[in-house]
Amino acid sequence: MTRLLRTLTFAGRCGLTLCLAGASLTAVAAQPLTTGVDATFAPHAMPKLGGGLDGFNIELGQAIAKQLGTTIKIEGTEYAALIPGLNAKKYDFVLAPTTATEERARALLFSEGYLNTDYTFVIGKNGKEIKGLDDLKGRKLAVNKGSAYENWARDNAAKYGFTYDVYASNADAVQAVQSGRADANLAGNTVAAWAAKQNPAVRTSYTIKTGLVWALAFRLDDQAGRDRVSMALKCLKQDGTVSKLVQKWFGFTPAAGSAAVTVTPGQGVPDLPGYDAKPVELRCS
């Protein structure tokens, strides 16, 4: 075999190998995603008229799949079943809003945050503004039973001089404000914004900053999956998709520096276990 023939043969083999590798990468990129949500957590996920699911997280999941050039199957179930389903490899990741905490980050990998999760007061349209926690003195709050907001009310009622009533659902708590049985409802910032957007008789007021974010949750052993989906999330922040979804579903524009518009330098939530600080070069479709 001449040197030229050997060179051409080698190049041909290398070309075939590269083609096969490229085809393999394409296959991986096109692999459908499977995930789950709590389908009762409006406006993040809820039943849609005519069937299926709708909401902020539903559209976020669909946008991630589109960015990756694939499809996504979103299953509605109770939140308590999502993490076990993830660990059993039923789901590729958890799409439902999941607060990234140090305790959880020891058992899960997180994408970077896509929304800040704070506590917001909802007051009547003509209700007295709440400018700070000291303004709660002498007022009555309405909170959802068993929620983090009930816990906050219980822990802080004596300190700030307010009373509170507990309701079976947050919708009932908002109704208590509307009817005058309570001065304010305390709920998550996105749920509070949704309530005010849907009901012109109430409006949002003071927000308690927690410093926490909602992020997508992955299995500890699936760093490749985390990084792949997180790359798509970064692209959706950069092109304004996440911000537009926030405006559509919650009725407010994300502030500069908030999780919805800030692209994290590495992968994951900074300062939590599982965070990879190595800078990431964005690759967007």
Side-chain angles (χ1 to χ4, degrees), residues 186-250:
L186 181 64
N189 56 312
T190 56
V191 174
W194 170 257
K197 185 173 184 288
Q198 297 299 304
N199 187 347
V202 298
R203 60 190 175 94
T204 56
S205 187
Y206 184 73
T207 293
I208 303 171
K209 300 292 186 180
T210 67
L212 300 174
V213 295
W214 276 323
L216 306 173
F218 297 77
R219 291 184 297 277
L220 269 182
D221 62 358
D222 190 19
Q223 182 173 339
R226 188 275 301 271
D227 292 354
R228 175 188 173 218
V229 173
S230 198
M231 176 68 74
L233 179 58
K234 290 175 183 291
C235 293
L236 296 177
K237 287 185 181 184
Q238 185 183 62
D239 69 13
T241 297
V242 178
S243 179
K244 290 176 183 176
L245 290 178
V246 169
Q247 293 172 56
K248 174 182 176 178
W249 287 102
F250 311 130

